[in-house]
Amino acid sequence: MSDIATLAETIDREIDAEREALIALCGDLVAARSVNPPGRTAEVAAVVRRYLADHAVPAELVAADEEAPNVVGQTTRQASGRQVVFNAHMDTMEASDEAAWSVPIFTLSHQDGRL
């Protein structure tokens, strides 16, 4: 088996082991309002920071604007090999007219095996 296949199997096992926690995180992120404009991301940043803290990853909020902070976390592990850096936007696009949706737009929905 190739190194890539072994790594993929390891990742799949780790995701399966954390599946419910990851679904809960998705729900928290969906509920945290960050529609742009105005792009206020404080609620999402709080979710991300809490998640990192719950997983023993030190993180802090860094903000020039208190309503649009960044989350900066750092692992203290000194593992050799490949490392991952995650960088993402925390704001979201407008979901259009909420009345047109069949599910609440700020609540994670489960339907047909999908979130």
Side-chain angles (χ1 to χ4, degrees):
M1 185 176 295
S2 73
D3 290 344
I4 292 174
T6 301
L7 178 60
E9 285 182 6
T10 299
I11 291 169
D12 285 346
R13 278 193 305 275
E14 290 180 11
I15 289 171
D16 286 341
E18 294 293 321
R19 184 166 305 280
E20 293 307 313
L22 292 170
I23 290 172
L25 173 62
C26 288
D28 292 344
L29 290 169
V30 168
R33 300 190 183 215
S34 63
V35 176
N36 194 356
R40 299 299 179 206
T41 58
E43 288 183 51
V44 174
V47 169
V48 172
R49 184 176 183 204
R50 184 173 51 251
Y51 178 83
L52 293 173
D54 289 348
H55 290 82
V57 177
E60 63 179 310
L61 298 181
V62 178
D65 176 346
E66 292 300 317
E67 292 297 316
N70 292 293
V71 180
V72 179
Q74 179 176 333
T75 61
T76 56
R77 206 171 76 177
Q78 298 205 2
S80 61
R82 294 182 175 175
Q83 305 293 311
V84 174
V85 174
F86 183 71
N87 180 25
H89 286 264
M90 292 188 289
D91 61 332
T92 56
M93 295 177 63
E94 187 175 359
S96 73
D97 179 13
E98 188 170 357
W101 285 70
S102 62
V103 296
I105 61 174
F106 291 108
T107 303
L108 184 65
S109 301
H110 302 250
Q111 185 175 358
D112 300 326
R114 294 178 175 228
L115 302 178

